[in-house]
Amino acid sequence: MITVKNLWFSYDAQVILEDVNLTIKQGEFIAVIGPNGGGKTTLIKLILGILKPQRGEITVLGQPPKAAARRMGYVPQNTNISKVFPISVMDVALMGRLGKAGRAWRYSEADRRRAEEALDRVGMLEHKKSPVLNLSGGQRQRVFIARALASDPEILFMDEPTASVDQEWQAQIYNLLKELNKSITIVVVSHDISILSSYVKSVACVNRTVYYHDAAEITEEMLGKMYQCPVELVAHGVPHRVLQSH
Amino acid sequence: MDIFHYEFMQNALMAGLLASIACGIIGTLVVVNRIVFISGGIAHAAYGGVGLAFFLGFAPLLGVVGFSVAIAIIIALVSLGNKQRADTIIGVLWAVGMALGIMLADLTPGYKVDLMTYLFGSILAVPREDLLLMLFLNVAILGTVVLFYKDFLAMSYDEEFAGLMGVPTRALYIALLIMIALCVVIIIRVVGMILIIAFFTIAPYMAEGQSRSLYSMMLLSILYNCVFALAGLWLSFRFNLTSGATIILVGAAFFFLSLFLRKFAKMLKVGS
């Protein structure tokens, strides 16, 4: 579904990603983890076609990223968007329909219905007329998920969905993603490895290069390569073991 | 209000109204896109257009249209190409445009026009044909923003996502900067190019906190601008003050009052 081959990317002289190879299959629920500044967000933006690689090739759904952009949903990091912007919940959700609406000067009835369905799915339909600036961090996050869902994506990318969100909502987000994963492929970026609970099917560790692991667990070898220093693994009494026995 | 019986006063009113509409709409987009500095650069560099028009002997406002649109396109391309260095280059263009205007005016033989009228406006001396140009530009701006409203909204809120959804954000950004240039032309007679930033920022800032949508922020900004222009015009006539400066200071008075009220409201909230 997504193929990344020999990918290189650098900002100015600083290499962010080198020789990355990655294949993501249909129906996956993959966690992209790694240290801050390791290139997780950059990798996602390359796959989405927001950034262009210096070398290498990316195909998404058999097309170059730009061409496939409208078949992908994207929930960016919560922190990058102005919190005082005067806009309603519904108007944010409708942005997910931009690709379908094209340059028509207004959204169609069908677009509005689809946006409302997406809001309903994340439990925000009753707030559709509220200004976004009145919402809590978790509610804003849900609206951004609705915006991505409104575009009927085949693949959903989420960048740090649990940042600035309370514990209770973190669990809700992952339950929602698990539900969505029945029909779409999901890629979640997080610097927090505790998300590797029962939800995730595979893991990709990103730190300049990518290590892919076909199961929801991290090996010590992966961590060693990732963080370039001995890392103490702290295993809590979680229902699903995320760390290999060691 | 018998002062409004004079034709020059009616023209001044019309000019104030037209400037309020254009600046309310474009000022809102300038504020939410955080490109106040860019709009300042375009407004000041446009002075080169005044000098150029004098030098070549055609209507000053037409000179400003051509020159400021050209500057807007250059600034758009520079800031799209290199975000980090853009502010430096805009700063340079800002000064070069003004210097060019003054030098070209120096080099123009014959009678020296009062350049101050372009820097600080002369709303009491707006000729009919300028009103017509202002009306035409207003219609162009209004039409563009209405037609592409959802796209401008998406670009202003989240440019990256808008781009992903196929919105031509680069083209819209260039269009926005060109519309800023057209606004400069509209407002030059009213408050002048130096004071234009205040007309772009004060009303949208006040409106932002009270609006639920970009659309209502634009309408409210237009309303505020109209109040500033009308009250400023009346005060300047009544007390024989420079109209452009009076209009801006009326706006500034409202601005500081609203800042104070916001602080006060916050204190009440914390106190209760």
Side-chain angles (χ1 to χ4, degrees), chain A residues 111-160:
Chain A
D111 288 331
R112 299 191 159 272
R113 254 197 317 276
R114 196 66 200 84
E116 283 179 358
E117 281 165 24
L119 283 172
D120 196 26
R121 208 153 181 193
V122 298
M124 289 298 290
L125 187 57
E126 55 179 320
H127 298 284
K128 73 171 185 174
K129 289 198 173 126
S130 312
V132 172
L133 61 104
N134 288 354
L135 303 181
S136 69
Q139 287 176 318
R140 264 159 54 88
Q141 191 70 17
R142 279 193 260 178
V143 174
F144 291 143
I145 295 173
R147 178 177 72 165
L149 291 179
S151 67
D152 296 317
E154 290 164 56
I155 311 169
L156 181 65
F157 294 86
M158 296 187 79
D159 200 347
E160 301 283 2

Side-chain angles (χ1 to χ4, degrees), chain A:
Chain A
M1 201 160 202
I2 299 173
T3 329
V4 178
K5 260 189 225 152
N6 309 326
L7 177 80
W8 289 72
F9 184 82
S10 53
Y11 279 117
D12 300 323
Q14 202 191 353
V15 177
I16 307 291
L17 293 170
E18 54 178 55
D19 201 25
V20 168
N21 289 285
L22 180 69
T23 307
I24 299 176
K25 293 184 287 284
Q26 183 155 11
E28 281 244 44
F29 189 155
I30 183 168
V32 178
I33 63 165
N36 283 326
K40 302 184 298 286
T41 299
T42 305
L43 177 63
I44 295 306
K45 287 189 176 176
L46 283 162
I47 295 173
L48 285 161
I50 294 169
L51 298 173
K52 276 201 191 90
Q54 271 88 24
R55 266 193 277 164
E57 200 191 337
I58 303 172
T59 16
V60 183
L61 301 157
Q63 289 175 297
K66 270 251 180 274
R70 289 177 214 187
R71 297 164 69 189
M72 297 188 266
Y74 178 43
V75 184
Q77 276 191 48
N78 206 342
T79 46
N80 296 346
I81 295 164
S82 162
K83 289 189 175 68
V84 293
F85 198 102
I87 190 168
S88 70
V89 166
M90 181 65 174
D91 281 340
V92 174
L94 274 169
M95 281 178 200
R97 301 301 300 170
L98 278 166
K100 309 283 189 290
R103 300 285 74 70
W105 78 288
R106 300 187 72 169
Y107 293 105
S108 69
E109 257 324 297
D111 288 331
R112 299 191 159 272
R113 254 197 317 276
R114 196 66 200 84
E116 283 179 358
E117 281 165 24
L119 283 172
D120 196 26
R121 208 153 181 193
V122 298
M124 289 298 290
L125 187 57
E126 55 179 320
H127 298 284
K128 73 171 185 174
K129 289 198 173 126
S130 312
V132 172
L133 61 104
N134 288 354
L135 303 181
S136 69
Q139 287 176 318
R140 264 159 54 88
Q141 191 70 17
R142 279 193 260 178
V143 174
F144 291 143
I145 295 173
R147 178 177 72 165
L149 291 179
S151 67
D152 296 317
E154 290 164 56
I155 311 169
L156 181 65
F157 294 86
M158 296 187 79
D159 200 347
E160 301 283 2
T162 53
S164 76
V165 168
D166 58 52
Q167 291 284 331
E168 189 194 348
W169 171 235
Q170 288 187 15
Q172 281 187 48
I173 285 188
Y174 285 116
N175 280 325
L176 174 67
L177 290 182
K178 195 176 183 183
E179 178 67 29
L180 291 169
N181 186 229
K182 285 174 186 163
S183 52
I184 58 183
T185 307
I186 294 179
V187 182
V188 174
V189 172
S190 182
H191 69 273
D192 174 14
I193 57 171
S194 68
I195 68 149
L196 295 171
S197 47
S198 55
Y199 305 107
V200 176
K201 292 176 185 164
S202 58
V203 182
C205 288
V206 183
N207 190 13
R208 275 182 65 136
T209 187
V210 172
Y211 300 90
Y212 177 78
H213 198 69
D214 197 11
E217 62 173 19
I218 315 168
T219 61
E220 264 185 290
E221 188 204 348
M222 274 169 102
L223 279 182
K225 278 185 183 156
M226 276 299 98
Y227 293 89
Q228 312 283 314
C229 60
V231 180
E232 198 176 349
L233 297 179
V234 184
H236 302 280
V238 287
H240 178 87
R241 189 158 184 88
V242 298
L243 298 172
Q244 238 183 12
S245 308
H246 61 287

Side-chain angles (χ1 to χ4, degrees), chain B residues 216-228:
Chain B
S216 59
M217 182 173 162
M218 286 174 178
L219 288 182
L220 207 54
S221 300
I222 292 173
L223 185 74
Y224 282 140
N225 276 339
C226 285
V227 171
F228 302 161

Side-chain angles (χ1 to χ4, degrees), chain B residues 158-250:
Chain B
D158 187 348
E159 189 189 347
E160 208 168 73
F161 189 86
L164 211 57
M165 289 288 116
V167 174
T169 52
R170 288 174 66 95
L172 285 182
Y173 181 76
I174 296 171
L176 176 56
L177 263 50
I178 290 176
M179 289 194 291
I180 291 173
L182 298 182
C183 257
V184 172
V185 179
I186 291 173
I187 203 163
I188 221 165
R189 287 288 191 185
V190 180
V191 295
M193 35 189 45
I194 295 214
L195 299 178
I196 186 173
I197 293 208
F199 227 61
F200 265 162
T201 50
I202 292 177
Y205 175 81
M206 288 170 60
E208 189 177 38
Q210 304 159 348
S211 303
R212 302 174 78 101
S213 68
L214 198 64
Y215 170 76
S216 59
M217 182 173 162
M218 286 174 178
L219 288 182
L220 207 54
S221 300
I222 292 173
L223 185 74
Y224 282 140
N225 276 339
C226 285
V227 171
F228 302 161
L230 221 66
L233 198 57
W234 185 78
L235 285 173
S236 75
F237 191 79
R238 185 79 182 65
F239 298 101
N240 195 25
L241 301 164
T242 305
S243 51
T246 314
I247 291 170
I248 296 305
L249 284 178
V250 168

